Amino acid sequence: MPAASRRRRDTPPPRTGGSEIEVLRGFLDYLRASIAAKVDGAPEPQVRTPAVPSGTNLLGLLNHLTFVERATFLGEEVDGWQATFHAAPADSVADVVGRYRETVERANDVLDGCTDLGAPLPRPGRPALSVRWALIHLIEETGRHAGHADILRELIDGTTGR
């Protein structure tokens, strides 16, 4: 159990424009920033130590989300989804956070060119996903894992808040 709880200032939900794409992207970016901040600065080795029987660990969650972003928005194929829940032993927290932020930047470059939410995203050799489906899926996936990350970070060092 952590020695003392540290409360981070909560960030309110995003204020976005009125269009559907602005709202969806605003909430996705809000969740992306939240989970990256939750992992950034977490101490070794606790950041990669499973805190629950499933083996889930804080660094692995962000590593997994990097692969989800790449598969969804960049069309990359992922072999072995379960393996994405564990960062390589040589990867530091800064490495994984940096890779996630770089992937988000590349995904946003793709999204910047999407004005039609019904348009397909490129996925060579697999059925196309609409931009709308991809955004909603990433909001759900990132939000789900951000909730896991909240609990895991609090267990590690008592840090709470977004």
Side-chain angles (χ1 to χ4, degrees):
M1 184 84 181
S5 180
R6 291 187 292 263
R7 181 103 177 116
R8 210 183 297 179
R9 183 174 107 27
D10 272 349
T11 304
R15 301 211 186 282
T16 64
S19 75
E20 184 180 9
I21 198 162
E22 289 171 320
V23 170
L24 293 173
R25 289 195 61 186
F27 272 88
L28 178 56
D29 283 338
Y30 167 72
L31 290 168
R32 287 164 160 171
S34 178
I35 195 161
K38 189 62 68 171
V39 177
D40 201 15
E44 289 279 4
Q46 299 92 329
V47 71
R48 64 179 75 240
T49 303
V52 293
S54 68
T56 303
N57 65 81
L58 188 58
L59 195 60
L61 285 176
L62 194 62
N63 192 66
H64 170 71
L65 284 171
T66 302
F67 282 91
V68 174
E69 291 268 354
R70 288 176 180 169
T72 304
F73 295 121
L74 305 176
E76 294 181 16
E77 195 155 336
V78 176
D79 294 322
W81 279 104
Q82 277 308 113
T84 68
F85 280 97
H86 300 281
D91 284 342
S92 69
V93 172
D95 292 336
V96 175
V97 171
R99 198 164 36 248
Y100 178 72
R101 288 184 172 143
E102 186 270 331
T103 298
V104 164
E105 200 172 294
R106 288 177 53 213
N108 279 340
D109 288 345
V110 169
L111 289 170
D112 288 345
C114 298
T115 56
D116 177 5
L117 287 170
L121 286 170
R123 291 168 40 102
R126 294 175 288 161
L129 305 170
S130 73
V131 175
R132 179 181 289 104
W133 188 95
L135 285 167
I136 291 170
H137 173 61
L138 259 292
I139 290 168
E140 173 273 326
E141 181 84 1
T142 307
R144 177 176 182 238
H145 292 313
H148 297 143
D150 284 340
I151 294 165
L152 293 172
R153 183 64 190 258
E154 186 173 357
L155 288 170
I156 289 171
D157 64 5
T159 301
T160 62
R162 281 176 253 187

